[in-house]
Amino acid sequence: MAISQLFSLNHPKCSFQLGNPLISKHNSNKKASKNSFQLFPDKPFKSIKCSTTSLSSSTSLTPQIEEETTLSLEDERPLSQIWKEIQGFNNWDGLLDPINPHLRREIIRYGEFAQACYDSFDFDPHSKYCGSCKYQGAHFFEKLGMADRGYQISRYLYATSDINLPNFFQKSKLSSVWSTHANWMGYVAVCTDEEEIKRLGRRDIVIAWRGTVTYLEWIYDLKDILHPAKFNKDPSIKLELGFYDLYTKKENNCKYCSFSAREQVLAEIKRLMEYYDGEELSITITGHSLGAALAIITAYDIAELELNLVDEGEMSNKIPITVYSFAGPRVGNLKFKERCGELGVKVLRVVNVHDKVPTVPGILANEKLDQFQRYLEETVSFPWSYAHVGVELVLDHTHSPFLKATNDFSCAHNLEAHLHLLDGYHGKGRRFCLANKRDIALVNKDSNFLKSEYGVPPYWRQDENKGMVRNSDGRWVLPERPRVETHPHDISHHLEKILHKFDHSGSSQFKEA
């Protein structure tokens, strides 16, 4: 397929009940080859045409895309053959500059899973459903125009808002609300379409965490306080306190937060691992902004608990864990970074060089200090030392001819802008050129970043009539939403399995949480 074409699949629709076992368990994808692919086989690339966008006289919101003769490279190998490399098996060595077209498409695809958290979230303080997801799990991807992705929601994730990040959570101004303590934080989804499984080369489990679109004051609430992760016996591995609380705290008086976000996601991963036992699997975690911090913590937690370790007779196999992080802050100290590396957690961090969020916390001591940071942590016990995890892919929004110069901090941080920049990125020093013809109108979905000559209104995505409908009496009302399931009935069962495994080693991961 040419790189200038959009990738799309037509998948049959499947009904799915949130929190219930998946409808069908396909085993046709059993044990694909686990051998790493040949990194440089004979003639794996071909030259193709790239594309750019020019002004059009069309009255459509979306400018026309015109072909140019700029050459790019397409990787002719199928993704199913090289998926482990694309997921970071070799830390993306040789795949970023120039960027491998498979990798570009996969980063964008997972970024769109993260964007779905925003597009489905109720930010309206005048709605009693503020802070919840607008759609039931069975219709989630269909409502977002993503039914062709081949994934189904496995469960929703919630966190208590009663923690020390007051400017992150959304709450209704009304007295009668869906929950006084909870915010919807994301979802777990599973690839269930056989054609997509074949294309990917494995069955993929996705965890997507919500961040925040434009309300960025939460970043100033970070106190630079490090807290022991307590996911293993080493107290020197530490996380930023606000992130730790968001992940581990629960509220017994709230049916959505009676289990912490941590307990919810770990129990679901345990369930899915058992359900798809014997299949080739991957665990991919994605998030933007604060959601990116949660994504890295989740990946570390799963690996530390060895939930991705599968026994195969006398051998053990590790299911790959990959994080695609967008515009994320630093999460933990240098010990945390090093432990993630030891566990084999692969993290690709996509950042805009003009975005301030990835520069915090850890302004005084961070990974740029190298050996000096190690001295600060080990000898001086410096309490404000943070380090980014993984490999960084740096973008620059000034390289896009479609974006205007702005001092709006939220534009540089915007996820759709990051995905636009990825589509035009080919490597350091290479010209910006849209590879997949991704619609530039998406940039202004929840921002005002496109140049005005493209005729795309800012902040254009919204529900029709803001969700109001006319009832049988002819009155306009906000309709009641179907009740969303809180937690599957077997969540305690799977948590007990995790606890039982680690109680023998004296670990107490879930006792504080």
Side-chain angles (χ1 to χ4, degrees):
M1 179 182 294
I3 198 172
S4 60
Q5 293 176 309
L6 281 172
F7 179 80
S8 65
L9 293 173
N10 293 317
H11 298 300
K13 294 181 180 178
C14 301
S15 60
F16 182 74
Q17 182 64 40
L18 181 66
N20 287 348
L22 300 176
I23 283 195
S24 61
K25 180 178 178 182
H26 303 290
N27 292 311
S28 60
N29 195 45
K30 296 274 188 181
K31 295 300 171 190
S33 173
K34 297 176 184 176
N35 295 327
S36 178
F37 75 101
Q38 183 181 354
L39 189 58
F40 297 107
D42 293 337
K43 299 181 179 179
F45 301 104
K46 66 177 180 179
S47 297
I48 63 163
K49 288 184 178 180
C50 191
S51 62
T52 188
T53 304
S54 62
L55 287 173
S56 167
S57 60
S58 170
T59 58
S60 169
L61 288 183
T62 306
Q64 292 179 347
I65 308 294
E66 296 182 355
E67 291 272 329
E68 283 193 351
T69 57
T70 305
L71 294 180
S72 184
L73 292 177
E74 175 64 278
D75 191 338
E76 292 185 301
R77 298 166 297 181
L79 176 61
S80 59
Q81 180 186 346
I82 60 172
W83 72 267
K84 289 187 177 180
E85 302 301 318
I86 297 300
Q87 291 289 101
F89 182 78
N90 288 329
N91 294 311
W92 296 281
D93 184 34
L95 298 178
L96 294 174
D97 190 15
I99 190 167
N100 179 280
H102 282 303
L103 178 59
R104 181 200 286 110
R105 286 191 289 262
E106 288 300 284
I107 300 173
I108 292 174
R109 188 172 70 89
Y110 286 112
E112 288 172 344
F113 281 123
Q115 180 66 40
C117 292
Y118 293 136
D119 295 343
S120 60
F121 187 72
D122 193 337
F123 287 92
D124 186 1
H126 303 290
S127 166
K128 71 177 182 179
Y129 299 107
C130 180
S132 71
C133 182
K134 298 176 184 177
Y135 314 120
Q136 286 195 306
H139 308 291
F140 182 84
F141 290 119
E142 178 186 358
K143 291 288 187 180
L144 295 171
M146 300 173 68
D148 62 350
R149 303 303 172 90
Y151 285 72
Q152 292 180 352
I153 295 293
S154 173
R155 73 154 295 152
Y156 282 163
L157 303 170
Y158 299 90
T160 176
S161 56
D162 300 334
I163 63 169
N164 62 352
L165 283 176
N167 284 318
F168 173 73
F169 292 96
Q170 304 293 318
K171 291 190 175 182
S172 175
K173 294 180 179 179
L174 305 179
S175 57
S176 176
V177 295
W178 72 285
S179 174
T180 56
H181 299 283
N183 256 212
W184 182 82
M185 289 303 302
Y187 60 88
V188 181
V190 184
C191 186
T192 57
D193 182 84
E194 288 302 311
E195 287 300 314
E196 181 68 349
I197 292 171
K198 182 178 179 181
R199 185 187 77 85
L200 294 174
R202 81 282 185 189
R203 188 185 297 275
D204 186 39
I205 299 171
V206 168
I207 304 167
W209 290 105
R210 178 179 70 83
T212 183
V213 180
T214 57
Y215 196 59
L216 298 177
E217 284 80 357
W218 65 268
I219 201 70
Y220 300 111
D221 291 322
L222 298 180
K223 308 301 182 184
D224 270 16
I225 299 174
L226 285 162
H227 186 280
K230 295 187 177 181
F231 300 166
N232 72 3
K233 296 180 180 180
D234 187 350
S236 67
I237 299 174
K238 297 180 180 181
L239 303 173
E240 195 281 326
L241 179 60
F243 304 155
Y244 177 83
D245 284 349
L246 177 58
Y247 187 60
T248 62
K249 295 298 182 182
K250 55 188 174 184
E251 174 56 57
N252 292 328
N253 296 324
C254 174
K255 60 183 180 180
Y256 292 97
C257 298
S258 57
F259 294 95
S260 67
R262 182 192 185 206
E263 291 171 332
Q264 294 167 47
V265 72
L266 292 180
E268 186 62 14
I269 292 300
K270 179 67 173 175
R271 183 184 78 86
L272 292 172
M273 293 285 292
E274 292 182 0
Y275 190 80
Y276 290 114
D277 182 38
E279 296 193 34
E280 186 84 359
L281 298 174
S282 64
I283 300 173
T284 311
I285 313 172
T286 187
H288 168 259
S289 191
L290 190 144
L294 288 174
I296 293 175
I297 293 172
T298 305
Y300 159 70
D301 198 8
I302 293 171
E304 190 71 86
L305 292 175
E306 298 181 345
L307 292 186
N308 66 321
L309 195 62
V310 179
D311 292 329
E312 299 176 340
E314 297 181 356
M315 301 289 292
S316 293
N317 174 46
K318 275 190 176 182
I319 292 174
I321 301 175
T322 304
V323 176
Y324 290 105
S325 155
F326 299 87
R330 294 186 181 95
V331 175
N333 63 355
L334 181 61
K335 289 282 189 179
F336 172 74
K337 171 188 176 178
E338 291 174 343
R339 183 57 179 161
C340 286
E342 292 171 0
L343 293 170
V345 173
K346 304 300 181 181
V347 179
L348 182 59
R349 294 184 301 101
V350 181
V351 301
N352 179 356
V353 69
H354 302 285
D355 184 12
K356 300 302 180 185
V357 171
T359 68
V360 296
I363 295 176
L364 297 178
N366 55 61
E367 71 284 347
K368 296 178 181 178
L369 297 174
D370 198 26
Q371 293 301 318
F372 181 59
Q373 184 183 23
R374 189 180 308 279
Y375 169 79
L376 287 175
E377 286 194 16
E378 296 180 354
T379 306
V380 185
S381 298
F382 190 71
W384 302 289
S385 175
Y386 288 82
H388 270 307
V389 178
V391 178
E392 185 175 74
L393 174 56
V394 180
L395 306 173
D396 186 338
H397 71 244
T398 63
H399 293 171
S400 170
F402 309 103
L403 305 181
K404 63 185 179 183
T406 178
N407 293 322
D408 186 344
F409 176 56
S410 66
C411 285
H413 188 61
N414 184 271
L415 177 54
E416 282 289 0
H418 280 68
L419 301 185
H420 165 71
L421 295 176
L422 278 164
D423 195 19
Y425 177 80
H426 293 265
K428 295 177 183 178
R430 291 173 172 82
R431 191 170 71 84
F432 188 95
C433 183
L434 295 178
N436 298 290
K437 297 184 180 179
R438 195 168 191 275
D439 192 346
I440 66 168
L442 293 170
V443 172
N444 267 15
K445 181 191 288 183
D446 47 42
S447 75
N448 184 17
F449 206 1
L450 279 178
K451 291 179 178 177
S452 59
E453 55 259 39
Y454 293 113
V456 180
Y459 305 98
W460 57 259
R461 192 184 191 281
Q462 57 183 297
D463 293 332
E464 185 178 7
N465 298 321
K466 295 189 175 180
M468 296 286 283
V469 298
R470 183 171 287 176
N471 66 13
S472 58
D473 298 328
R475 305 178 73 87
W476 286 91
V477 298
L478 189 66
E480 295 291 330
R481 291 180 189 166
R483 187 175 71 90
V484 177
E485 296 294 330
T486 51
H487 305 296
H489 68 279
D490 57 356
I491 181 172
S492 295
H493 168 71
H494 292 293
L495 283 175
E496 282 298 321
K497 289 185 176 180
I498 299 171
L499 279 168
H500 177 74
K501 179 177 180 179
F502 283 87
D503 276 346
H504 294 311
S505 63
S507 181
S508 58
Q509 283 89 343
F510 296 95
K511 295 182 180 170
E512 177 178 326

